Amino acid sequence: MELVDLLTPDGVVAASRASSKKQLLQDLARKAAEITGADERAIFDVVLERERLGSTGVGNGIAIPHGKLPGLKRLAGVFARLEKPVDFEAIDEQPVDLVFLLLAPEGAGADHLKALARVSRLLRDKRICEKLRGSDKAEAIYALIAEHAASHAA
């Protein structure tokens, strides 16, 4: 499973105007609902519940909110680049401007962890993050992610 299996061009938000963590998660849930057909409120609730366990802000301006959703057919992702960073209660206390929401079916144990690892690997690459931050077109952002996935395929 590769990042391009999780993320479609429709799943990229190139210039989110969210001004808070809650608003950002609501926007991501709305976009994920459009892509997956799952209930927007259910997505938001699952992601918010995960955030209550501890922030998914992993540092360096990056967050990877995630959750398992009953009834979801396959792993799905939404990527957002924010116009202005928001406080995400990240581990390094830095605001977040790159976010990859990952949703998995309830029974997707190892696949969910593999997908999280792939997303994490992508967003640990400082060069990729610089390029993602410098791009305000969804097509260009998707192409960067797809290109990275292709060059790092196992």
Side-chain angles (χ1 to χ4, degrees):
M1 171 214 358
E2 299 300 327
L3 286 175
V4 290
D5 299 326
L6 307 173
L7 185 69
T8 63
D10 295 350
V12 175
V13 179
S16 170
R17 289 194 164 95
S19 59
S20 69
K21 179 178 180 175
K22 183 178 180 186
Q23 183 184 9
L24 174 60
L25 294 175
Q26 287 171 325
D27 292 351
L28 291 171
R30 186 175 313 112
K31 178 58 91 173
E34 289 172 17
I35 293 166
T36 63
D39 181 68
E40 179 182 331
R41 183 67 201 203
I43 294 168
F44 178 73
D45 288 346
V46 159
V47 174
L48 198 60
E49 189 62 36
R50 170 57 189 85
E51 286 300 316
R52 285 190 185 114
L53 299 174
S55 177
T56 56
V58 296
N60 298 317
I62 295 160
I64 310 172
H66 56 277
K68 291 185 179 179
L69 199 63
L72 195 66
K73 301 280 185 257
R74 63 176 185 81
L75 286 152
V78 175
F79 179 85
R81 179 192 147 280
L82 283 78
E83 287 188 346
K84 292 186 181 137
V86 297
D87 178 24
F88 211 86
E89 301 152 13
I91 57 172
D92 64 355
E93 299 180 2
Q94 297 300 308
V96 161
D97 65 342
L98 297 178
V99 182
F100 198 114
L101 170 69
L102 180 64
L103 296 172
E106 218 167 21
D111 286 344
H112 179 69
L113 294 175
K114 284 181 196 167
L116 275 172
R118 291 216 192 273
V119 171
S120 177
R121 194 172 312 129
L122 167 78
L123 296 175
R124 272 198 315 258
D125 186 325
K126 286 182 174 36
R127 277 190 0 258
I128 288 289
C129 288
E130 282 175 24
K131 289 178 182 179
L132 291 170
R133 286 183 170 110
S135 187
D136 61 358
K137 300 269 183 284
E139 301 80 18
I141 289 171
Y142 181 79
L144 279 168
I145 293 170
E147 179 184 313
H148 181 273
S151 68
H152 290 80

